[in-house]
Amino acid sequence: MTSITDDALWEELVTSALLGTDRRTPPETVTATGKDAPAALLDAAAIHTVRRRAGLVPAPAAARPEPAPEDTRQHLPVPARRRLAQLLADRSAPSSGGRRGTAPDLTELLPQWLAAANEQGYRVPPPLLPALLDAARARTDLRPQALAFAGARGLWLARFNPEWKFALRGSAGGGALLPDVTDEEAVQRLWEEGLFAERVALLAAVRAHDADRARTLLAGTWPTERAEDRLMFLDSLRTGLTDADEPFLEQALTDRSRNVRATAAELLSALPHSALAGRMAARAVSCVGPDRSGDGSSASIAVEAPHECDADMQRDGVVPTPPTGRGERSWWLGQLVEAAPLTVWAERLGGRSAQEIVALPVADGWGEELHAAWCRAAVRQRDADWSRALLGPPGTPPQTGPGTSSLAERSKLLATLPEDERAAWVARFIAAHGLSEAFQLLGVCEVPWSEPLGRAVVDALDIARDAGSYPWSFSGVMGLAERCLDPAEASRLDLLTATPDEAEGASPGAGGYWSEAFQRLVSTLRLREAMRQELMPPA
């Protein structure tokens, strides 16, 4: 019997085993034994398995992989190492949501632990590296911190498991082992031969040291890069964006990729003195200006949206086709105003401040469109004055705010304010409107929350409990509180862990559930404090 026949017979046996002997009759040489088909198939499979294994010819050993790179960061303290093992072991535990008992949710604490470990400059213990990469594979939100903690050894290990290939393509290449940015030869070699994550990290490191050198690196290989890589490299220029980047970005306006062109236009519009910003300003002020149609007794704004989207507008990043449900002219107007420097409006509208401009009435129903575009411009240009004007007072109901009624847009505007001012604004918003619309706003506040913000959240939770609601109606905010409240607040919250008397009209059992929720909050805050202490460097 030749080896080819053996291979064919083996395939026949496997097929019969998979389909069943009733559906696929075993080969004739098997059924000729006189046994029933299943038994004959199993006997033949056993014989051929032994024959195949006995016939294996020793092969040359594969080349051993290169050693893992050294990690010179400091070792984790022993208690922190045990804590990390615990967090990674429990990461797959299902979260029941709603009523979760009194135990902290370790899954939600892992990102915070990783951020703290990276701040202290610790290295990951090698035995825990596979579990860390598995955790990062399962949760995209975990990847930046997990890959930074995994370091160059994480990238080295990821090459051996296809399930970890995200680490080699991800943008979070902070863990790559980078050469000295002043070593021209090493930098050029890694730029030309490195993995994508390594190149992204290298570009950021070189740019932080010498922005001109970083642009030279990028320009040298730009035509040969893939479109998605060009987009990511271009996006990395957001950090430290200056007027010196303008010539490179202007060239990118003619890129063959629409996404690259759009990103280049967005970056240029964030440079108020760029030629593109000037062109967009000229277009925007030709559409928006003082309303001179009335008797002049009260100031207002008139809008004449563009009637076409010409080739020059498209070259500057204006997308001609609106999304479904949007009119073309309002779509074009929004893009022009969004990309124009906000500084042009004071001169265009009588020297008024941002707050005075936002308060002006807008003719013919264009107010919502105009304010939404100004919101996007304020976020893009990180303009705190315009953000304050568009946010309005925190006590104003969201539906009647001066700039926008969207909480998502409000949270973006808030992110442009200084951290203290941001927390104070959200605290007053919660005091005025409660927690039902505060989730997105809380998400942009610095962690741990400031004392006024923490107290506003706890007071609002207490009010909700007294009103007889169930705690799972506020599970999102409660989860945020567990992760963001200052651990020093734990002792102050002990009073809320008691089960209150059930008030008339309250939801049945709500008091007990609130007691559990507050116990979980307190135990989580105490665990966070313990984690912080464990990560402190040895004295």
Side-chain angles (χ1 to χ4, degrees), residues 208 257 260:
S257 164
V260 171

Side-chain angles (χ1 to χ4, degrees), residues 321-327 331:
T321 306
T324 304
R326 290 285 302 273
W331 172 244

Side-chain angles (χ1 to χ4, degrees), residues 288-291 298-302 345-346 348-363 366-368 370-371 374 386 389 402:
V288 180
D291 186 356
S298 59
S300 60
I301 296 175
W345 299 114
R348 178 61 170 158
L349 297 169
R352 292 179 171 84
S353 67
Q355 191 170 8
E356 291 169 335
I357 292 172
V358 169
L360 288 174
V362 182
W366 285 101
E368 186 175 343
L370 189 58
H371 285 169
W374 277 335
W386 272 85

